[in-house]
Amino acid sequence: MLTDKFHAVLNYEGVVSVVTWTPVEPHITNTWNSYLTVTDDERILIPAAGFTHAEKDLAQNDQVLLTVGARDVEGRDGYQGTGFRLTGTAKFVDSGAEFEQVKAKYPFIRKVLEVTPTSAKQLL
């Protein structure tokens, strides 16, 4: 599901928006493309130092939206830049091999946000 173009975007810095929501309101948290780790089975691991509001939302609703983009990756029809919108489910992880792997790279984290995409759409 995660195409070569998606992986190319992650090779360049850009803002990642993570959207969570409850019946009360939506919430957006941001991070950087370079912080994302894609596993062999296409889960996305995101180091979380904060993300406390998102954690509260995900306790009620495990659905998540992510956007990623990079101006340096050519989009459709020669467009300068491209981006993706992913939908999926997410949970926070604070133990295990993958948590330790991410924490070794980013010692400031308290948890890892694990996103399991169910769709990925190139936007540009």
Side-chain angles (χ1 to χ4, degrees):
M1 170 184 341
L2 302 179
T3 64
D4 289 341
K5 184 76 71 167
F6 174 84
H7 286 276
V9 165
L10 296 185
N11 289 324
Y12 294 89
E13 199 60 273
V15 175
V16 176
S17 294
V18 179
V19 181
T20 58
W21 61 94
T22 65
V24 176
E25 65 182 350
H27 180 76
I28 299 174
T29 303
N30 293 312
T31 191
W32 300 107
N33 288 358
S34 60
Y35 284 178
L36 275 59
T37 300
V38 180
T39 64
D40 290 341
D41 61 354
E42 296 192 327
R43 288 173 296 118
I44 300 170
L45 306 177
I46 304 172
F51 281 80
T52 55
H53 198 288
E55 187 171 16
K56 290 175 187 173
D57 287 355
L58 290 172
Q60 296 180 53
N61 173 18
D62 70 351
Q63 300 298 300
V64 67
L65 293 170
L66 268 76
T67 60
V68 301
R71 186 178 178 99
D72 297 312
V73 178
E74 184 177 318
R76 294 191 182 108
D77 302 320
Y79 191 84
Q80 183 177 354
T82 193
F84 288 82
R85 180 181 63 230
L86 284 72
T87 60
T89 58
K91 65 181 179 180
F92 282 90
V93 177
D94 60 5
S95 63
E98 290 177 335
F99 170 78
E100 295 301 331
Q101 174 189 8
V102 176
K103 186 158 180 69
K105 192 172 181 181
Y106 305 105
F108 58 84
I109 69 170
R110 61 182 191 84
K111 293 187 178 183
V112 171
L113 178 61
E114 177 188 298
V115 177
T116 302
T118 55
S119 71
K121 180 179 181 180
Q122 185 175 347
L123 301 175
L124 301 171

